[in-house]
Amino acid sequence: MDQWPHDISQAAFRKAWPLEGEPLWQRVYDTHRDKMQIKNLHIALPNLERIFTCTFQLANAKGFQAMSLRDLSRATGISMGGLYAYIGSKDDLAAAIEEVLRRTLDDVMSERKVLDLAPVQRLRAIIHGDLYMNDIMHPWYYFCYLEAKGLSREQREAAMQMELKFDARLLQTFEDGVAAGLFASDALALLAANTTAMLQQWYLKRWKFARSGTRVEDYARFVLDTTLRNLGYRPA
Amino acid sequence: MDQWPHDISQAAFRKAWPLEGEPLWQRVYDTHRDKMQIKNLHIALPNLERIFTCTFQLANAKGFQAMSLRDLSRATGISMGGLYAYIGSKDDLAAAIEEVLRRTLDDVMSERKVLDLAPVQRLRAIIHGDLYMNDIMHPWYYFCYLEAKGLSREQREAAMQMELKFDARLLQTFEDGVAAGLFASDALALLAANTTAMLQQWYLKRWKFARSGTRVEDYARFVLDTTLRNLGYRPA
DNA sequence: GTCTATATCTGGATAGAC
DNA sequence: GTCTATCCAGATATAGAC
């Protein structure tokens, strides 16, 4: 099995998963198409970008509920009436954000190339991949975390299932490592939840990392080292 | 120095810090007195309890912004006009919640008896104390975390300072341990932030702990063990 | 496709009776 | 101390001109 080396650089991730610029807004358009009246992509994509970007800024500053569509209209430069050509309703806008992130995350998490790696390398790939995605789509994660209460019951449920699925994927990797005699611990489930929490810190505590000047690669290494240490792993 | 044994049971904590029932509402009354028109304690305390408890329920279900004072009026059984004898405004209610939690947390964190302990015992006391307080005042923490965006700039700043202060207290304990030759690590600050994050999980991911049936004492042990392991501590 | 103007409603807050 | 009735700002959403 030629599982190693596996390129875990941020550059490689960005190349494998285009989650910024036009490909992203195309993705938004695709999942959101039925709610929109605008069919011309050359007009729709830039406006979608303005609408979503400004929503993130405003929701980040005062919360989504407290942000009015008048605020959004002013920030985007699109009139109130104009906005409704792009969204079905205000709630619909929040729902679209959650849906785009969840579908994207689901795609990235299902990547076969990662799932086939040996435990330590797989862990390394999962941690780096998740942090890079966190970093690139930071506003989306942050929004979904803080505004979850405003989403529909189905969407809240789906978000919770997504986190459990992530935990389960880590746990499976840990257990594979235990079976291979690499890891040992009597609290694997709690350790998996802790690794998930460490990763979430990257978008929840961005202010703290900015303060200390920690870069994403540094933090990725810290999370990997810490997780492996907690699993009792000793490099050969 | 008679620093050990130090009682770290939940019962001992509850006895040392009465954070439930009448003492709690008395505390709320004291910090909130100037905004209230009701002076009779026998009437004020039970109504404060109803108002704050229902606010937590409603804010937890749909978010504080989305909760209307009419909702709150219905839930508490107190009329709209009646509510305004207890709060200055809706925003004022949120501010009061943050202020009560922050003052209480500040009291608990400043306890001298804990600060004088040797590093490992101090760490144990900090972790247990914080988790017990998390557990008892769960709705308050959860509210402050998720509704922080709606607070004033000063209050958001104060909440951030509080977290940095908590990190710093952990870091100081770690450094004392390093100086005593007990601990060793090249990422003390990140480890402190991680311990803080682990503790916050107790109120942020309550659904997950409920699912797995993890009790607060079990989790306290896990957090302590994990932190000590990451600090390279080996019991004598 | 985008705008202005407007319908409609909800929510915070207050006045004043009891 | 508590309630009812009411005021009014500001929000979502839509209709229809251009």
Side-chain angles (χ1 to χ4, degrees), chain A residues 37-200:
Chain A
Q37 295 161 25
I38 316 298
K39 300 301 169 194
N40 184 337
L41 281 179
H42 295 289
I43 293 173
L45 295 194
N47 280 336
L48 277 178
E49 174 167 4
R50 291 234 293 288
I51 292 170
F52 279 71
T53 303
C54 291
T55 299
F56 291 138
Q57 280 167 1
L58 290 165
N60 191 38
K62 44 162 62 176
F64 182 72
Q65 292 277 354
M67 168 199 96
S68 72
L69 290 186
R70 279 184 174 82
D71 292 334
L72 186 58
S73 166
R74 207 175 316 120
T76 56
I78 301 169
S79 67
M80 288 287 295
L83 285 179
Y84 277 88
Y86 290 88
I87 59 172
S89 70
K90 192 187 174 187
D91 285 350
D92 180 63
L93 174 56
I97 293 172
E98 192 276 341
E99 195 181 347
V100 168
L101 178 62
R102 178 159 40 83
R103 288 172 114 90
T104 308
L105 185 52
D106 211 20
D107 286 354
V108 174
M109 270 180 57
S110 311
E111 194 191 16
R112 189 58 196 276
K113 205 164 49 168
V114 167
L115 299 178
D116 285 344
L117 291 169
V120 174
Q121 285 72 34
R122 198 190 321 159
L123 200 50
R124 185 196 303 266
I126 291 173
I127 288 171
H128 281 79
D130 190 66
L131 279 179
Y132 293 147
M133 180 159 166
N134 266 350
D135 197 52
I136 296 168
M137 297 194 69
H138 168 258
W140 303 75
Y141 279 93
Y142 199 60
F143 181 94
C144 288
Y145 198 92
L146 289 185
E147 307 294 346
K149 291 261 178 292
L151 299 173
S152 72
R153 191 174 152 56
E154 292 76 32
Q155 287 196 299
R156 287 201 311 273
E157 194 69 31
M160 231 176 61
Q161 289 303 327
M162 205 68 186
E163 178 160 341
L164 288 176
K165 193 171 159 185
F166 191 86
D167 279 13
R169 202 169 60 129
L170 285 172
L171 185 55
Q172 182 63 55
T173 308
F174 292 176
E175 285 169 348
D176 290 352
V178 170
L182 295 164
F183 304 155
S185 165
D186 56 355
L188 288 181
L190 282 175
L191 280 181
N194 180 42
T195 297
T196 299
M198 278 197 276
L199 295 172
Q200 287 177 341

Side-chain angles (χ1 to χ4, degrees), chain B:
Chain B
M1 290 191 288
D2 181 20
Q3 297 184 339
W4 193 256
H6 176 81
D7 192 345
I8 46 128
S9 70
Q10 194 172 8
F13 182 84
R14 279 174 199 268
K15 198 175 154 196
W17 297 100
L19 302 177
E20 288 169 296
E22 212 196 286
L24 171 61
W25 305 114
Q26 179 69 52
R27 203 179 250 270
V28 173
Y29 179 85
D30 291 341
T31 59
H32 194 54
R33 189 199 312 258
D34 50 327
K35 301 284 171 43
M36 292 180 47
Q37 294 161 25
I38 316 297
K39 299 302 170 192
N40 185 337
L41 282 180
H42 296 289
I43 292 173
L45 295 194
N47 280 337
L48 277 178
E49 174 168 3
R50 291 234 294 286
I51 292 170
F52 280 70
T53 303
C54 290
T55 299
F56 291 137
Q57 280 167 0
L58 289 165
N60 191 39
K62 44 160 68 174
F64 182 72
Q65 294 277 356
M67 168 197 94
S68 73
L69 289 186
R70 283 181 172 79
D71 292 334
L72 185 58
S73 167
R74 206 175 316 120
T76 56
I78 301 169
S79 67
M80 286 288 293
L83 284 178
Y84 276 88
Y86 291 87
I87 59 172
S89 70
K90 191 187 175 187
D91 285 350
D92 179 64
L93 174 56
I97 293 171
E98 192 277 341
E99 195 180 346
V100 168
L101 178 62
R102 178 160 40 84
R103 289 171 114 90
T104 308
L105 185 53
D106 211 20
D107 287 353
V108 174
M109 270 179 56
S110 310
E111 194 190 17
R112 189 58 195 278
K113 207 163 44 170
V114 168
L115 299 178
D116 286 345
L117 291 170
V120 175
Q121 285 73 32
R122 198 191 320 158
L123 200 51
R124 183 195 305 266
I126 291 173
I127 288 171
H128 281 79
D130 190 66
L131 280 179
Y132 293 147
M133 182 160 165
N134 266 350
D135 197 52
I136 296 168
M137 296 193 71
H138 168 259
W140 303 74
Y141 278 93
Y142 198 61
F143 181 94
C144 289
Y145 197 93
L146 287 186
E147 306 295 345
K149 291 262 177 290
L151 299 173
S152 72
R153 190 173 153 57
E154 293 76 32
Q155 287 195 300
R156 286 201 311 273
E157 194 68 33
M160 231 175 62
Q161 289 304 326
M162 205 69 186
E163 178 160 341
L164 288 175
K165 194 172 159 185
F166 191 86
D167 279 12
R169 201 169 59 131
L170 286 172
L171 185 56
Q172 183 62 55
T173 308
F174 292 177
E175 285 169 348
D176 290 351
V178 170
L182 295 165
F183 304 154
S185 165
D186 57 355
L188 288 181
L190 282 175
L191 280 180
N194 180 41
T195 297
T196 299
M198 278 196 276
L199 295 171
Q200 288 177 342
Q201 296 295 298
W202 191 253
Y203 61 86
L204 290 179
K205 300 289 172 61
R206 184 163 262 229
W207 57 276
K208 216 189 264 187
F209 294 113
R211 257 179 72 99
S212 63
T214 306
R215 291 169 314 160
V216 64
E217 290 91 348
D218 301 336
Y219 191 60
R221 163 161 284 263
F222 170 78
V223 173
L224 179 63
D225 288 352
T226 303
T227 301
L228 288 175
R229 189 183 308 112
N230 287 325
L231 288 165
Y233 177 70
R234 290 281 170 276

Side-chain angles (χ1 to χ4, degrees), chain A residues 202-213:
Chain A
W202 191 253
Y203 62 85
L204 290 179
K205 300 289 173 59
R206 184 163 262 230
W207 58 275
K208 215 189 263 186
F209 294 113
R211 257 179 73 98
S212 64

